[in-house]
Amino acid sequence: MIRRASLVLVGALMGATAMSVIYSAGMPAVAAGASTYKELSIFGDVFERVRAQYVTPPQEDKLIENAINGMLTSLDPHSSYMNAKDADDMRTQTKGEFGGLGIEVTMEEELVKVITPIDDTPASRAGVLAGDFISEIDGQPVRGLKLEDAVDKMRGEINTPIKLTILRKGADKPIELTIVRDIIPVRAVKSRVEGDVGYLRVISFSEKTYDDLEKAIVNIKKEVPADKLKGYVLDLRLNPGGLLDQAINVSDAFLERGEVVSTRGRNPDETRRFNAGPGDLTDGKPVIVLINGGSASASEIVAGALQDMHRATVLGTRSFGKGSVQTMIPLGENGMLRLTTALYYTPSGKSIQGTGIQPDIKVDQPLPVELQGKVTMEGESSLPGHIKGQNETEEGSGSVAYVPPEPKDDVQLNYALDLLRGAKKDPAFPPIADKAEVTK
């Protein structure tokens, strides 16, 4: 296994915009023509008119920010401007840790409900329990807040205190806790043993993903002897993407050699190829990759690489179809410009932009009755203004993105387990390794 640093990052927020992509310290600039500067002068005139004469005094920084975003969103759905707060949120996502309390929460009856406190975090040490309702944060009522606003209030600088008022079933009065924030690591990979199969769910591609994956595989090997272990399920469903170098490293974890992905920009000399090195963490055990309409970008790179190299069988439904790469360019006042600068290609030289990854074995996941008609199929091809892929057809990309909360109801997972155990047969499993598809 050869781990390599990369300036390239990729990702998508489902049905909307890109999460993160290339960081570049310097981009070559080409001087604009005289007509362009004339148009910019007109923009300045319009801005001054609005600033001076609009019926109510406008917020000038918002005017400029919206104008910039208007220009960028006219290019494609994944190019945008991020102000200082948005840029900081993006850095938090890619870093894989934040200052906070350590609780997984949801919204119920207009209150923040604790799903579970994370072990060995400030919240668990303070005595927060699953099922608790948070009614006040620093003396301010939670009712009326959106979940993301309440989460923002609970996050903050490490070593700073926060006061929570908690309603607990069985308690005769509200419980008040003062908790000191600490660094909370976000698990990028969750794993477990399904009898004689190792289950690996990659939630996102942050800076911690490869390390989390490596630890998960080590733990599975400790729990199940090599002669008993049938193989691995790599679950990439509902994974919106993230860092490209982590997608490369995750692919490399299962490969001994060969190309993982290539990126091609505006100019031919911007083409970059990324290859796997020796060292398969799973010792060549069979692998089945699960995908659905919620698998985008970095997760599609992994699925595409393992599929083309015939290292794994891909099972599920068609992926989101985001095959573009963005460049993250720092701007003044800690803002960032996120600009689409390249497309990526699987080892066979195929672009999945607007088409997605087609599974080797198509298995639909039925929706429960209460969700039927409420969950729609989304993909890159359905986003207004998306870059049309070279292989894109009217069929487009994407599929329904749904995973049941209980493994027993997970048709796709159980189909994969049956294949690995030999209870089901399919010509696509196992793949024939010596027929790997690579760019000629």
Side-chain angles (χ1 to χ4, degrees):
M1 174 62 58
I2 300 175
R3 303 193 62 200
R4 51 187 68 77
S6 172
L7 297 180
V8 186
L9 317 133
V10 288
L13 295 180
M14 303 323 302
T17 59
M19 182 175 77
S20 55
V21 266
I22 287 178
Y23 164 79
S24 177
M27 296 292 291
V30 179
S35 62
T36 301
Y37 287 111
K38 182 179 179 180
E39 294 295 328
L40 287 172
S41 176
I42 294 173
F43 171 79
D45 290 343
V46 171
F47 174 77
E48 285 301 324
R49 288 286 186 179
V50 172
R51 188 185 66 82
Q53 298 180 8
Y54 188 67
V55 62
T56 57
Q59 195 173 338
E60 295 177 20
D61 57 344
K62 286 296 181 184
L63 282 179
I64 295 173
E65 185 176 324
N66 290 335
I68 293 171
N69 268 318
M71 173 177 62
L72 294 169
T73 54
S74 73
L75 301 173
D76 69 85
H78 305 295
S79 295
S80 66
Y81 167 74
M82 291 184 289
N83 58 31
K85 182 183 182 303
D86 292 338
D88 189 58
D89 288 345
M90 184 277 300
R91 293 187 193 97
T92 297
Q93 290 182 51
T94 57
K95 190 174 182 182
E97 61 183 32
F98 58 89
L101 307 180
I103 48 177
E104 295 181 11
V105 296
T106 188
M107 209 75 178
E108 189 174 303
E109 298 178 0
E110 296 187 272
L111 296 176
V112 174
K113 182 180 181 181
V114 178
I115 298 173
T116 183
I118 301 170
D119 290 341
D120 197 29
T121 61
S124 65
R125 290 192 291 267
V128 177
L129 302 178
D132 283 351
F133 286 89
I134 299 172
S135 61
E136 293 183 8
I137 301 173
D138 282 333
Q140 299 298 313
V142 166
R143 292 186 189 277
L145 291 180
K146 295 180 180 178
L147 180 60
E148 54 266 32
D149 294 331
V151 169
D152 282 345
K153 286 179 176 292
M154 289 186 283
R155 290 183 177 180
E157 295 292 325
I158 63 171
N159 298 323
T160 58
I162 181 173
K163 183 179 178 182
L164 300 182
T165 301
I166 289 174
L167 306 180
R168 180 176 295 166
K169 186 177 181 180
D172 56 1
K173 63 180 180 180
I175 300 168
E176 293 190 351
L177 297 175
T178 298
I179 306 174
V180 178
R181 296 179 179 92
D182 201 350
I183 294 175
I184 307 300
V186 180
R187 288 175 63 189
V189 178
K190 292 185 178 181
S191 64
R192 64 178 184 266
V193 168
E194 289 279 353
D196 51 3
V197 175
Y199 174 81
L200 303 161
R201 181 189 170 206
V202 181
I203 300 165
S204 65
F205 288 87
S206 70
E207 292 176 10
K208 298 179 178 294
T209 302
Y210 175 82
D211 291 339
D212 282 1
L213 179 72
E214 186 176 36
K215 291 174 186 174
I217 292 173
V218 168
N219 289 336
I220 288 170
K221 286 180 177 179
K222 288 179 180 177
E223 193 168 343
V224 185
D227 60 336
K228 302 292 184 184
L229 188 62
K230 301 293 187 183
Y232 294 84
V233 173
L234 180 63
D235 193 346
L236 301 177
R237 295 173 298 176
L238 306 183
N239 184 318
L243 306 179
L244 177 59
D245 70 324
Q246 293 294 314
I248 294 166
N249 289 336
V250 168
S251 302
D252 196 352
F254 300 92
L255 295 169
E256 290 280 3
R257 62 188 179 278
E259 184 173 304
V260 173
V261 68
S262 63
T263 60
R264 306 177 196 178
R266 181 168 168 175
N267 302 313
D269 59 0
E270 294 173 349
T271 297
R272 302 180 68 188
R273 298 185 184 279
F274 302 88
N275 298 311
D280 178 349
L281 295 184
T282 62
D283 302 318
K285 290 286 186 181
V287 178
I288 294 179
V289 177
L290 301 183
I291 62 170
N292 64 9
S295 307
S297 208
S299 56
E300 292 176 291
I301 288 174
V302 175
L306 299 185
Q307 182 182 57
D308 278 6
M309 299 305 293
H310 282 213
R311 176 61 186 92
T313 296
V314 177
L315 184 151
T317 56
R318 186 174 49 195
S319 64
F320 189 80
K322 180 184 177 293
S324 62
V325 175
Q326 287 71 40
T327 297
M328 200 65 68
I329 306 169
L331 299 175
E333 301 298 326
N334 297 318
M336 280 192 178
L337 168 62
R338 180 171 52 196
L339 187 66
T340 300
T341 54
L343 297 176
Y344 67 77
Y345 296 77
T346 68
S348 63
K350 178 176 61 181
S351 168
I352 60 93
Q353 173 67 14
T355 59
I357 298 289
Q358 291 281 5
D360 300 304
I361 303 173
K362 186 176 185 294
V363 178
D364 291 308
Q365 176 64 54
L367 287 172
V369 175
E370 63 270 19
L371 290 181
Q372 290 177 10
K374 298 178 182 178
V375 178
T376 59
M377 185 178 82
E378 291 187 354
E380 176 77 10
S381 60
S382 67
L383 299 183
H386 77 281
I387 297 172
K388 188 172 179 63
Q390 65 183 49
N391 303 314
E392 187 174 339
T393 65
E394 289 185 2
E395 186 180 7
S397 64
S399 60
V400 171
Y402 171 71
V403 177
E406 296 296 331
K408 65 180 177 61
D409 301 321
D410 194 333
V411 173
Q412 294 167 334
L413 171 60
N414 285 294
Y415 198 106
L417 295 175
D418 285 345
L419 284 171
L420 287 166
R421 292 168 179 154
K424 278 188 169 67
K425 304 289 184 182
D426 192 282
F429 178 81
I432 303 173
D434 61 1
K435 291 187 177 181
E437 300 175 34
V438 294
T439 305
K440 299 293 192 273

